[in-house]
């Protein structure tokens, strides 16, 4: 859904803007006590006209609605993406915040810089940009001999990295020596050919998994003739299939090969044996993880599925050969799990890994935090935070909730008890406990430590503590003592911040502002919760 704005002749275009923004089905629902999505968009479009100069919108820019959030009190938050002369603008996204009556309150912008270019004709050709991205992909994989390297550039305006400039955003994909997919997104200056930024395109939690980690769990299945399908009709028809140890290369619409997802079936509706000898055991964990993640978001926030539209994703298990990874892929709207190498990791199908990876889908549908720099760390931390909250919410006595990431999937060869530790992230040997000016230069799985530490402090507080039999001792970077406000309020504040205030370019300072805004909306500026958010950020040296 798009709308076009003109700096001149605003009054003349208002009617057209309103018509373009309204759903054809919007009718008497507009008069309901709580605003509808169509009403919120209508209100937002009127604001875009009135606030065009403040939002940096000009006659050569267009906007498209990405998401709409309506609070219980009727407040509305409409998230937009932006184009400039029909080119996507990286960092052009913004959120318009409206009162229950539709009046303008404020806006959250990924960038406040004016977007204006002398030309949109690149000096660097598309084939050259593709070659540069392919070289960057090879370099990121330490010169490994990659197979079937493909690069797909698109011309964009980069407003994420300083003054807006014309750039190529190129998705480079290939297969490694084991046939597993590797992918990297490279942003290249379209005038000079200099690399502006690059990041891995498959969002991952490095690890592996064993078989059934959660014991005997309930499953909703679909009857088909005389057999049962591992397909849940109560949760958007989410299902789990067998990748048959195949691999694919289908990233960002570039499809060379796709592994299968052959739907698991069973005659008696009793699935798996709890061991890796039965291929259905890993499928049980994957489907269970999907169910618990779905239920957490729906029961806690009213979010009906990853995109909020009631449509289920699907899982592929037994992907690749000894594949030590799991990843969410927006192009297939699916989760993919490797079996691990058996030495450092088992199958990567544990509950917190499932919640982590599927939360990448929620982030993509909302703030779409860029997967590099500080915003990339926040992206990863968001998945760690909600993966942890999913695990606690499930209340599974075989896999109790904890603040350890991936503790079920690691084996002795990994060398430690978990992938990451939220109470003291530096215990993994790489992650940051505290913010510093160099945090954005770390791998996103390590820069996430600052937000993970904040989240633990906000929920549980500082110092020694035992939760579900696990001992923690969380320090603070400023020597303060922090009192926690509980996991439920942590989740409410972070979700509100993610879906209404964070944008693609949000950094740690911006995350502090976003979560304070969320705490203000939920509890008030004079509340203990608002003060706790401020104290927890200060305790990790943010603000």
């Amino acid at each position: 859904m798009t709308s076009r704005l003109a700096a001149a002749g605003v009054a003349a275009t208002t009617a057209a803007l309103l018509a373009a923004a309204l759903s054809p089905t919007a009718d008497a629902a507009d008069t309901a006590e709580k605003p509808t999505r169509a009403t919120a968009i209508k209100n937002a479009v009127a604001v875009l006209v009135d606030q065009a100069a403040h939002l940096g919108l000009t006659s050569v820019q267009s906007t498209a609605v990405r998401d709409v959030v309506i609070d219980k009190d009727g407040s509305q938050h409409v998230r937009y993406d932006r184009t400039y002369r029909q080119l996507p603008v990286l960092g052009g996204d913004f959120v318009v915040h409206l009162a229950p009556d539709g009046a303008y309150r404020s806006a959250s912008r990924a960038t406040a810089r004016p977007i204006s270019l002398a030309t949109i004709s690149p000096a660097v050709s598309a084939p050259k940009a593709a070659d540069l991205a392919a070289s960057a992909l090879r370099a990121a994989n330490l010169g490994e001999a990659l197979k079937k390297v493909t690069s797909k550039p698109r011309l964009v305006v980069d407003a994420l990295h300083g003054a807006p400039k014309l750039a190529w955003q190129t998705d480079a994909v290939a297969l490694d020596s084991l046939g597993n997919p590797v992918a990297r997104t490279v942003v290249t200056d379209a005038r000079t050919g200099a690399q502006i930024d690059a990041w891995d395109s498959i969002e991952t939690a490095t690890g592996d998994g064993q078989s059934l980690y959660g014991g005997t769990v309930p499953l909703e299945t679909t009857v088909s003739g005389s057999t049962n399908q591992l397909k849940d009709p109560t949760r958007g028809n989410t299902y789990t299939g067998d990748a048959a140890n195949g691999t694919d290369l289908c990233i960002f619409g570039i499809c060379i090969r796709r592994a299968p997802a052959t739907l698991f079936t069973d005659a008696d509706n009793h699935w798996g044996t709890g061991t890796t000898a039965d291929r259905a055991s890993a499928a049980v964990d994957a489907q269970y993880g999907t169910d618990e993640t779905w239920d957490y978001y729906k029961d806690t926030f009213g979010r009906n599925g990853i995109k909020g539209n009631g449509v289920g994703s699907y899982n592929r298990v037994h992907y690749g050969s000894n594949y030590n990874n799991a990843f969410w892929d927006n192009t297939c709207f699916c989760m993919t799990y490797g079996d691990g190498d058996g030495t450092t990791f088992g199958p990567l199908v544990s509950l917190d890994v499932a919640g982590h990876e599927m939360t990448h889908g929620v982030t993509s549908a909302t703030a779409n935090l860029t997967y590099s720099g500080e915003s990339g760390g926040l992206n990863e931390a968001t998945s760690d935070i909600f993966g942890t909250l999913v695990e606690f919410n499930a209340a599974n006595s075989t896999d109790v909730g904890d603040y350890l990431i991936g503790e079920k999937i690691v084996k002795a060869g990994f060398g430690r008890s978990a992938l990451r530790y939220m109470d003291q992230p530096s215990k993994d040997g790489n992650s940051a406990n505290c913010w510093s000016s160099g945090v954005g230069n770390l791998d996103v799985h390590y820069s996430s430590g600052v937000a993970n530490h904040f989240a633990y402090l906000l929920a549980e507080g500082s110092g020694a503590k035992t939760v579900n039999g696990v001992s923690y001792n969380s320090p603070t970077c400023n020597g303060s003592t922090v009192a926690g406000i509980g996991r439920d309020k942590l989740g409410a504040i972070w979700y509100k911040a993610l879906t209404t205030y964070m944008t693609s370019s949000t950094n740690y300072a911006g995350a502090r502002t976003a979560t304070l805004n969320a705490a203000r909306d939920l509890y008030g500026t004079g509340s203990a919760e608002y003060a706790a958010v401020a104290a927890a950020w200060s305790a990790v040296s943010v603000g």
Side-chain angles (χ1 to χ4, degrees):
M1 189 177 298
T2 61
S3 61
R4 190 167 185 82
L5 298 173
V10 165
T13 62
T14 301
L17 286 168
L18 298 178
L22 286 174
S23 163
T25 60
D27 46 26
D30 286 3
T31 64
E33 183 176 338
K34 185 176 180 179
T36 64
R37 175 185 171 90
T39 302
I41 294 173
K42 174 183 176 181
N43 293 337
V45 169
V47 167
L48 297 192
V49 174
D50 293 338
Q51 300 291 327
H54 174 67
L55 294 170
L57 297 169
T58 67
S59 60
V60 294
Q61 296 182 32
S62 296
T63 60
V65 174
R66 186 199 303 167
D67 193 26
V68 176
V69 174
I70 300 175
D71 296 341
K72 290 182 180 179
D73 69 353
S75 297
Q76 303 139 54
H77 312 271
V78 183
R79 184 180 296 273
Y80 285 93
D81 289 313
R82 183 192 320 235
T83 62
Y84 174 84
R85 297 188 184 276
Q86 301 183 336
L87 298 178
V89 180
L90 307 182
D93 52 303
F94 60 94
V95 187
V96 173
H97 308 291
L98 309 172
D101 63 359
Y104 175 69
R105 281 179 170 168
S106 63
S108 300
R109 297 174 59 183
T111 181
R113 293 174 180 267
I115 300 172
S116 179
L117 303 181
T119 179
I120 58 170
S121 297
V124 175
S125 68
K128 178 63 175 177
D131 289 343
L132 291 170
S135 296
L137 178 63
R138 292 187 179 95
N141 285 272
L142 304 178
E144 181 180 349
L146 303 179
K147 299 175 291 184
K148 298 184 178 179
V149 179
T150 305
S151 297
K152 184 179 181 180
R154 67 168 182 164
L155 200 59
V156 299
V157 176
D158 173 36
L160 278 173
H161 305 90
K165 60 182 73 65
L166 192 66
W168 289 105
Q169 182 183 38
T170 306
D171 299 318
V173 295
L175 300 176
D176 66 16
S177 59
L178 294 176
N180 296 314
V182 292
R184 196 159 179 82
T185 297
V186 181
V187 181
T188 306
D189 191 314
R191 181 179 60 86
T192 66
Q195 180 173 301
I196 299 171
D197 200 358
W199 57 87
D200 291 335
S201 301
I202 299 177
E203 294 164 334
T204 66
T206 304
D208 199 331
Q210 301 171 356
S211 52
L212 269 170
Y213 302 110
T216 301
V217 296
L219 294 171
E220 297 289 338
T221 60
T222 298
V223 177
S224 179
S226 60
T227 192
N228 301 283
Q229 299 174 337
L230 196 51
K231 181 178 181 180
D232 189 342
T234 70
R235 297 179 176 91
N237 284 317
T238 57
Y239 71 90
T240 299
D242 193 335
N245 300 106
T247 59
D248 62 43
L249 192 57
C250 188
I251 311 298
F252 300 107
I254 306 172
C255 296
I256 297 173
R257 179 181 69 237
R258 185 178 287 281
T262 305
L263 183 63
F264 278 89
T265 59
D266 187 87
D268 63 5
N269 218 18
H270 297 292
W271 305 78
T273 61
T275 70
T276 55
D278 187 336
R279 295 180 73 84
S281 296
V284 171
D285 284 295
Q287 187 71 21
Y288 172 63
T290 300
D291 293 350
E292 290 297 332
T293 303
W294 180 288
D295 290 352
Y296 171 76
Y297 278 106
K298 185 172 184 180
D299 295 346
T300 308
F301 307 118
R303 188 176 191 88
N304 192 23
I306 288 172
K307 286 188 174 180
N309 60 0
V311 176
S313 57
Y314 69 94
N315 304 306
R316 297 182 298 180
V317 295
H318 306 302
Y319 179 89
S321 174
N322 297 325
Y323 189 52
N324 283 336
N325 216 338
F327 61 88
W328 168 264
D329 184 349
N330 271 319
T331 64
C332 63
F333 201 62
C334 70
M335 261 300 305
T336 300
Y337 299 92
D339 286 325
D341 59 13
T343 301
T344 53
F345 297 101
L348 282 96
V349 290
S350 66
L351 181 56
D352 56 352
V353 170
H356 172 109
E357 297 300 344
M358 284 183 281
T359 295
H360 279 306
V362 176
T363 298
S364 178
T366 55
N368 198 26
L369 290 157
T370 301
Y371 205 62
S372 67
E374 291 189 17
S375 59
L378 287 164
N379 189 318
E380 274 296 314
T382 296
S383 285
D384 280 351
I385 291 166
F386 286 120
T388 295
L389 294 178
V390 166
E391 187 179 66
F392 272 106
N393 188 68
N396 185 319
S397 60
T398 305
D399 184 7
V400 297
D402 53 53
Y403 292 96
L404 312 175
I405 307 300
E407 77 285 353
K408 286 288 188 178
I409 65 173
V410 299
K411 288 183 172 289
F414 185 63
R416 60 178 191 266
S417 59
L419 294 174
R420 289 182 289 282
Y421 306 84
M422 296 182 72
D423 66 317
Q424 191 174 346
S426 62
K427 287 194 293 186
D428 67 14
N430 295 295
S431 294
N433 286 345
C434 313
W435 182 87
S436 68
S437 59
V439 158
N441 297 323
L442 297 176
D443 178 278
V444 294
H445 296 90
Y446 305 142
S447 61
S448 64
V450 179
N452 281 344
H453 191 192
F454 159 83
Y456 177 88
L457 290 170
L458 185 61
E460 303 291 348
S462 58
K465 188 171 190 178
T466 299
V467 181
N468 286 343
V470 180
S471 297
Y472 304 96
N473 194 354
S474 189
T476 59
C477 305
N478 61 356
S480 64
T481 298
V482 175
I485 60 174
R487 291 183 294 273
D488 290 348
K489 290 179 178 179
L490 160 66
I493 290 167
W494 197 272
Y495 182 80
K496 176 74 173 176
L498 177 74
T499 57
T500 60
Y501 291 110
M502 292 186 186
T503 68
S504 60
S505 68
T506 296
N507 57 15
Y508 273 111
R512 177 186 172 104
T513 300
T515 50
L516 284 171
N517 285 343
R520 176 201 63 202
D521 293 350
L522 294 170
Y523 308 108
T525 54
S527 65
E529 292 83 0
Y530 186 92
V533 170
W537 278 123
S538 295
V540 295
S541 301
V542 177

